Amino acid sequence: MVRESWMEIYPYYQNYIQNMLPLFEQSIKFVQDLAPQDLNDNTKILEYLATEEKRSVGKVKAISEFSALYRRDIFTRIWDCVEDLRSTTDLEEIRDIIIDDFEESIDFLNFLSALTTPDQSQYESTNLYLIVQYIQEQIFPRRSSVTEIYSHLIEKSVQYYDIQRHLLMPSTSYRENDENPETPALSAILYKIINEITSLLNLDPNYLQSPKDDTIEIPVIVKDEIFLPFIDSIANNESSNLNQILKRMELELIHDIFIGPTMKFISAGELHNYFRRESISNTRERIIPQLSNESLVLMYLANLSHKRGFISKELINWISSIVALLLYNAALETFLLEENIFYSIFTDLKTEEKILPYMMKLICFDKYLGIDRTKIRDSVQYRKEIFSSIGSQIPSMKKLIEDISKYIITLIEK
Amino acid sequence: MAIAIWAELLEKFQNGLTRSIEFLNERDMENIPGAKERLVEKFTQIRNYLPRNDGELLIKMINDSIQSRLFPNTTDHIVAFNQILNARTPEQDSIISELIDGFISSQGKTLFGGTDRKILDNLVEAFRKRRDFKIVDHQFYAMFGDPNKPKKFVQDRLDKIAEFLGLQIELLHVEQDVRDGKPKDYRFYSFPEEITIILEGKYVQILENGEKIITNDFDKMVFISYFLATQSVNRKKLDNYTINGICAIFSLILLLSFMPKLNVEETNPINRDEHYNPQTMSIIPKSWLSKSILAELMTPLVQIIAYRVGGINWLDKIILTEKNINIHLQAQFLLKDVNKWILGNMCRVEIPIFVEISNIFSEIILGAEGGTE
């Protein structure tokens, strides 16, 4: 796969924004020049569209088709708005509403256009860098150790646990190979296994002398018990790759029979009350588990974040699409009111698929998410996946979008 | 005959409770002092009051709460849908959605050829993109179809979803399509007109020019409510899988409502954990989640629900093979999404239906105790 440079991706990212901006600017000029009574019927609009579409702009066919399509889209919305409001609002006011909506849209496009610079070396002052850092801090932090990442994730989980978990669970249909050294996403079965381990450790643990420290007894559960509720061998794959899976949550197989926490998990978990010590003799302590729903899931995410150079293709596409969507939607929320007549143009697949894939690649660079951008898919199907994931928005994502939007406002004010 | 069956089912549940109590007396998995005793006390209360007035306790819980909010006992589709929609609250939505969504996804897995996609989200998105409150097969294919599979695959899938959810299908033949000039057949999927009327306003906005656009309130819960309404009205025609799934979900709701709330000491770390909200959650004994107790209580309760909701017809379809019991037990996966483990404590999120069922319990037991006095 070709490793594209920043300078190769950046123009692609700018391409459609730079094609849309003049369309909005020309159209606002047309509406500003229009007398309010011209909105009584759509003659002027149709004349304008006919002239624009006939004019030879000396552009390549794809671009003129793109412009014609968007221009029609813009004016369809203008005319819909006039028809909706004509009976209750006077024409001058309607024109002002349309102009306001245009101004919001142009501000949004200008923001997207100035999000980053062609010169990658100046990244620190760009909004793209700052916003991606902000998003990472909430759901996918970078720190020097897994323990630090884990603590940070737990701190942020009060507000964002659902989306932290969402980041691990693509809604797309897939089956990843657990033998692969790259960390895969949490499949529905794996998530059930995590739930089962959490419950069994909390409900009824056995205690075993730690293989690493003979002064403590660690909680363990019997390996086979976690697979009992699975019927028809549906968890066979997970069962045969259990060791690999457990490592990703700082758990380990002991004597090939028991599952127990590693010393690293115990020390990281103790900081958050997920384990407590109980003295059972003068020389021996027992580690009592008291896990929460997020204890293992966030350990999986912390490990993933720490080893972000080695994550599966499915997850790379999912994580970068979620971060790009968060950024795009937050910017949209910052600049456009939901009632804006052009709002749906920006949430339409045909707009998103021209901007988001390149934004995803840009945010994969080292200074940003630092994940392997060569694994970002370029197929039509993959663009549909992005679209599908928009439909799967979860409530906590809305909360994060609001928070990012507030952050964008502080950036603009600065 | 019916009386004998009902009495037998009650007895089975009583026996399950007795064995659970024995199990609890033998083993203590609780970390909160008094938790085990509270659970034993609650199970004993239920066991003792269960047969009174022909099982009034369970009948009232199932009829007045579960059926009235989630599975109305009516033959009128509109009444059922309206009743379920009106019972919605945000907290209840998230829990019912977890429960039913898990069920629909697994049903969907068999229906839609192994795809793990979020079917209901896709449907919402497809409605959102149009201004006539309909889904069209071609557009759905463009949005979510797999280009490596023929369009027919999406049509079949949509037909099955429509049948499963109770949507209507309209066919439109066009002699000359505007795009390629060729004859084309379109399939439109929509809610029946009388259902659209119920949704008007809060969920669907009708513009002056006749266009119908969905509002932000239109979400997958509308489908879930509609699915439940359709299933409740057609309860006599449901297949084994659906019946077992629905009964397992309702049994879980009942079981969860039975659990006593526990008080913890002020010094307990859970009180300092920000994930715990004492206003909306309560700590419940965790040992009821153990396989030994769930296995004892779930199966008889699934049978009780089946009998009360679908009569002998449903009860016959609850097959008690070991595999089937395992399927019921699989519902325990759902429990961890519905409840939360917080620092080793099992916490129930209080939603109206749990509160209501608990209230029925207190009302009947207090009434009975008052009567005895």
Side-chain angles (χ1 to χ4, degrees), chain B residues 193-212:
Chain B
E193 191 54 36
E194 60 273 22
I195 294 296
T196 310
I197 293 169
I198 296 177
L199 294 171
E200 272 175 34
K202 188 168 187 271
Y203 300 103
V204 181
Q205 205 185 334
I206 300 190
L207 306 180
E208 273 181 19
N209 58 8
E211 288 181 341
K212 293 173 185 171

Side-chain angles (χ1 to χ4, degrees), chain A residues 68-264:
Chain A
L69 179 77
Y70 269 97
R71 196 179 291 110
R72 282 217 165 257
D73 221 359
I74 290 169
F75 280 94
T76 308
R77 279 165 174 77
I78 292 175
W79 189 244
D80 283 348
C81 168
V82 174
E83 287 203 314
D84 283 353
L85 297 178
R86 201 160 37 187
S87 57
T88 54
T89 317
D90 73 58
L91 291 173
E92 193 163 350
E93 210 175 310
I94 294 176
R95 195 188 61 170
D96 289 345
I97 291 171
I98 296 169
I99 291 171
D100 285 348
D101 287 355
F102 263 122
E103 283 170 351
E104 286 179 4
S105 307
I106 292 169
D107 286 346
F108 171 63
L109 287 168
N110 276 325
F111 176 81
L112 287 182
S113 168
L115 201 56
T116 188
T117 61
D119 181 3
Q120 202 199 343
S121 63
Q122 294 169 2
Y123 69 91
E124 276 176 329
S125 57
T126 64
N127 282 340
L128 182 70
Y129 174 76
L130 294 168
I131 298 167
V132 170
Q133 292 310 311
Y134 177 85
I135 297 171
Q136 286 201 95
E137 272 301 287
Q138 319 307 318
I139 55 175
F140 198 51
R142 287 179 113 165
R143 295 286 186 280
S144 55
S145 74
V146 174
T147 310
E148 281 178 73
I149 297 173
Y150 188 54
S151 290
H152 189 78
L153 281 171
I154 288 168
E155 188 192 315
K156 294 289 179 185
S157 70
V158 178
Q159 281 184 297
Y160 301 123
Y161 174 62
D162 283 347
I163 182 159
Q164 289 168 341
R165 186 179 61 166
H166 189 60
L167 203 61
L168 286 171
M169 301 178 77
S171 63
T172 48
S173 175
Y174 68 96
R175 179 95 185 180
E176 293 190 298
N177 190 356
D178 282 316
E179 291 163 10
N180 206 318
E182 291 167 341
T183 311
L186 276 190
S187 64
I189 293 177
L190 200 49
Y191 182 63
K192 285 176 179 175
I193 290 175
I194 292 181
N195 274 339
E196 199 62 11
I197 297 175
T198 306
S199 292
L200 288 172
L201 276 173
N202 276 338
L203 280 172
D204 202 11
N206 299 301
Y207 291 93
L208 207 70
Q209 183 183 308
S210 162
K212 307 271 164 51
D213 180 351
D214 58 10
T215 64
I216 57 168
E217 279 186 3
I218 58 166
V220 292
I221 51 173
V222 179
K223 178 182 86 173
D224 292 343
E225 270 196 46
I226 61 171
F227 294 105
L228 282 181
F230 293 97
I231 50 168
D232 295 342
S233 317
I234 53 172
N236 261 3
N237 179 41
E238 286 73 11
S239 173
S240 46
N241 295 300
L242 190 61
N243 213 1
Q244 193 80 349
I245 292 169
L246 293 177
K247 273 185 199 161
R248 296 178 192 132
M249 293 175 274
E250 291 302 334
L251 296 170
E252 60 186 345
L253 259 184
I254 303 166
H255 311 317
D256 206 31
I257 301 173
F258 300 107
I259 296 172
T262 61
M263 295 307 287
K264 195 172 173 183

Side-chain angles (χ1 to χ4, degrees), chain B residues 282-309:
Chain B
S282 51
I283 304 168
I284 53 176
K286 60 185 180 182
S287 46
W288 74 276
L289 195 63
S290 73
K291 214 172 75 212
S292 313
I293 290 189
L294 266 184
E296 291 296 347
L297 301 183
M298 265 305 266
T299 304
L301 207 48
V302 164
Q303 287 183 292
I304 282 176
I305 296 271
Y307 186 66
R308 295 307 325 172
V309 175

Side-chain angles (χ1 to χ4, degrees), chain A residues 295-356:
Chain A
S295 308
L296 289 170
V297 174
L298 292 187
M299 185 50 91
Y300 196 99
L301 183 58
N303 261 317
L304 191 83
S305 177
H306 192 237
K307 296 171 193 158
R308 58 180 67 201
F310 302 93
I311 55 180
S312 72
K313 187 174 180 174
E314 193 71 36
L315 261 180
I316 288 175
N317 278 278
W318 178 250
I319 292 174
S320 56
S321 73
I322 297 263
V323 175
L325 263 173
L326 284 168
L327 196 162
Y328 182 84
N329 285 348
L332 194 61
E333 186 170 313
T334 311
F335 290 97
L336 267 72
L337 293 171
E338 233 175 279
E339 302 81 63
N340 187 307
I341 56 172
F342 306 116
Y343 190 91
S344 57
I345 290 184
F346 298 112
T347 55
D348 198 304
L349 175 66
K350 69 175 185 286
T351 310
E352 287 172 338
E353 72 171 5
K354 293 179 180 74
I355 298 173
L356 289 178

